[in-house]
């Protein structure tokens, strides 16, 4: 039986907890499909906070300003996200994540990583660096370290960051997906036609992917 080909655009940010949940959940669903579906995955840029200053902002202050969240609500949300992450094999160390950072440079690096065939590996590593290890994913040395961990050239990564490479390409991709109506992440676009939004459970992804593959 030949496997069905699916193109998936995973629109997300590296400081979005539900994007980490959604990615692991989607990949779990793909494993459940037993090779019946062949996937071409592209990670597309979305900035939750495009105007965020380089030094970032306290998570608590940011959530209070943006959503009006109380400390009690934040604690409940953190625990809900931690549990959802645990269910799909992602570790959230919420006590280590005390700031939200600007992610534009991380998206530039992800664009470069795709050209090197390492985009998925870098995406996972960046999510882990931020949510599991509490690192500053706007810091160029941190980004270079993470790049090196997944087999990318550290010096080339630093050059990409220092020279502002792929800024235009990332801005163009951001504009494109915003023009398609994407205003929240994660947004999973399949074959340029079907949209699944949010950090859905694996069974939701699996059912939808099976249906789309069956439609051919």
């Amino acid at each position: 039986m030949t496997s069905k080909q699916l193109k998936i655009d995973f629109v997300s940010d590296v400081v979005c907890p539900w994007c980490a949940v959604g990615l692991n959940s989607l990949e779990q669903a793909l494993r459940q499909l037993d090779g019946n579906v062949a996937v071409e995955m592209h990670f597309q840029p979305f900035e939750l906070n495009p105007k965020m200053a380089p030094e970032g902002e306290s998570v608590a202050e940011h959530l209070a300003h943006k959503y009006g969240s109380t400390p009690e609500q934040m604690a409940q949300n953190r625990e809900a996200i931690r549990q959802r992450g645990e269910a799909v094999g992602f570790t959230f160390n919420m006590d280590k994540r005390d700031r939200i950072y600007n992610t534009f440079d991380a998206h530039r690096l992800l664009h470069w990583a795709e050209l090197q065939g390492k985009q998925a590996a870098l995406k996972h590593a960046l999510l882990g660096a931020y949510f599991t290890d509490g690192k500053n994913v706007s810091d160029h040395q941190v980004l270079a370290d993470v790049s090196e961990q997944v087999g990318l050239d550290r010096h080339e990564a630093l050059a990409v960051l220092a020279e502002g490479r792929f800024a235009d390409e990332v801005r163009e991709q951001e504009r494109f997906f915003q023009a398609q109506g994407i205003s929240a992440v994660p947004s999973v676009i399949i074959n340029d036609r079907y949209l699944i939004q949010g950090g859905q459970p694996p069974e939701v992804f699996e059912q939808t992917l099976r249906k789309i593959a069956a439609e051919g």
Side-chain angles (χ1 to χ4, degrees), residues 82-112:
R82 188 197 66 75
Q83 289 181 11
R84 285 292 306 280
E86 188 175 60
V88 292
F90 188 88
T91 302
F92 286 101
N93 288 322
M94 294 301 195
D95 56 323
K96 291 186 177 181
R97 181 183 75 115
D98 61 352
R99 295 188 78 74
I100 288 180
Y101 298 103
N102 186 292
T103 56
F104 186 67
D105 286 346
H107 288 300
R108 289 197 295 115
L109 209 57
L110 282 162
H111 186 95
W112 168 67

Side-chain angles (χ1 to χ4, degrees), residues 9-57:
D9 288 298
F10 192 91
V11 188
S12 61
D13 200 356
V14 298
V15 294
C16 159
W18 289 110
C19 295
V21 171
L23 178 56
N24 275 38
S25 185
L26 172 61
E27 290 182 338
Q28 193 169 312
L30 290 170
R31 288 193 292 272
Q32 292 294 110
L33 294 173
D34 300 324
N36 293 328
V37 173
V39 170
E40 175 192 324
M41 182 107 75
H42 302 275
F43 292 94
Q44 305 292 0
F46 186 98
E47 291 177 84
L48 287 173
N49 306 288
K51 294 183 169 56
M52 180 66 69
E55 68 273 14
E57 185 181 11

Side-chain angles (χ1 to χ4, degrees), residues 48 114 165 171-172 180 182 187 201 203:
L48 287 173
E114 181 168 33
R165 288 189 223 165
R171 291 282 184 231
E172 185 179 338
Q180 302 302 305
I182 302 301
S187 287
E203 53 271 21

